[in-house]
Amino acid sequence: MSTETPPAPTLTLTPAPASATTETNPGTVVADLWFDPMCPWAWLTSRWLVEVEQVRPVRVRWHVMSLAVLNEGRDLPEQYAALLAKAWGPVRICIAAAERHGEGILAALYTALGRRRHVEKAEFDEAVFVAALTEAGADPALAAAATSTEWDAKLRASHADGIGRVGMDVGTPVIAVGDNAFFGPVITPAPKGADAGRLWDGVLLVAGTPGFYELKRSRETEPIFT
């Protein structure tokens, strides 16, 4: 989800970089995902990666980036600017929860937030934040972080970590394996089972080609969440 046309930096997986494997299981590849809960395309990519974990030796680590931060200072359509004004709340809550409970809470919290927003079509408000935090096993009082700037420095640092790997011309999601990162894939609906595994293999194969930057076509379908 971005106002710019996204290039795709290269990715190398075979053999997997040492920094992209887990210490406890060297055969498991770590895929770091940066997400903004407001973005429907990041949600679909995240659901695809959840499927990939079931069919490939992949473990996803979850991180926060912010479309509101990314688009600061840009001349935006009024409707999109209004959406981004609302986007501060959920990312602040995610950062606050990660600080309080550890980054391991982000998988469950993002799932709880994303399902409400994208599947159930709920607007992000205090009641939704409290319900999502409670479902994820986090302190529901962290809903107050939505309107606080207390966590913004850490939010910006997490965002910079993700976007710094791919450049400013992309949005969310960002996926990194070791020192290699790319934007996307932008997909709908999210593939499941064997199809999810095949897409994972294909994305890594294409993005791992030296000098490859972009493969794109116009989107003709709205996000499909079922």
Side-chain angles (χ1 to χ4, degrees):
M1 187 173 183
S2 170
T3 59
E4 303 291 337
T5 301
T10 60
L11 174 71
T12 302
L13 183 65
T14 307
S19 58
T21 59
T22 65
E23 294 181 2
T24 56
N25 186 354
T28 299
V29 173
V30 174
D32 289 287
L33 172 70
W34 280 261
F35 65 88
D36 184 318
M38 189 68 81
C39 178
W41 300 104
W43 171 252
L44 288 166
T45 301
S46 75
R47 297 311 93 184
W48 163 63
L49 283 179
V50 169
E51 288 287 321
V52 170
E53 286 185 305
Q54 306 305 309
V55 296
R56 294 292 186 272
V58 172
R59 179 169 67 87
V60 180
R61 291 190 303 203
W62 307 82
H63 311 276
V64 183
M65 64 182 296
S66 170
L67 290 169
V69 172
L70 178 66
N71 286 283
E72 281 183 320
R74 294 182 178 181
D75 185 16
L76 303 171
E78 183 177 347
Q79 184 177 6
Y80 190 58
L83 178 68
L84 292 182
K86 298 178 181 179
W88 285 99
V91 290
R92 284 169 170 165
I93 287 171
C94 286
I95 291 293
E99 287 296 307
R100 176 73 60 83
H101 301 286
E103 283 199 329
I105 198 70
L106 289 176
L109 181 55
Y110 181 31
T111 294
L113 287 167
R115 189 187 71 250
R116 286 170 169 80
R117 169 70 181 180
H118 303 297
V119 179
E120 300 171 5
K121 308 301 182 185
E123 292 294 329
F124 280 142
D125 59 20
E126 184 178 5
V128 166
F129 295 148
V130 168
L133 286 160
T134 301
E135 178 182 317
D139 182 356
L142 292 173
T147 56
S148 171
T149 60
E150 178 181 355
W151 309 102
D152 285 6
K154 292 184 181 297
L155 169 61
R156 292 177 183 277
S158 182
H159 173 84
D161 184 22
I163 204 69
R165 298 168 188 248
V166 292
M168 293 295 293
D169 292 332
V170 304
T172 178
V174 168
I175 295 174
V177 177
D179 296 329
N180 303 290
F182 60 95
F183 164 77
V186 177
I187 47 174
T188 189
K192 299 183 183 301
D195 289 339
R198 282 192 291 269
L199 179 59
W200 173 258
D201 298 339
V203 166
L204 297 182
L205 177 63
V206 171
T209 301
F212 179 86
Y213 289 100
E214 187 169 357
L215 178 68
K216 185 176 181 178
R217 56 187 173 190
S218 297
R219 293 197 297 262
E220 298 178 345
T221 304
E222 292 299 311
I224 300 170
F225 300 115
T226 56

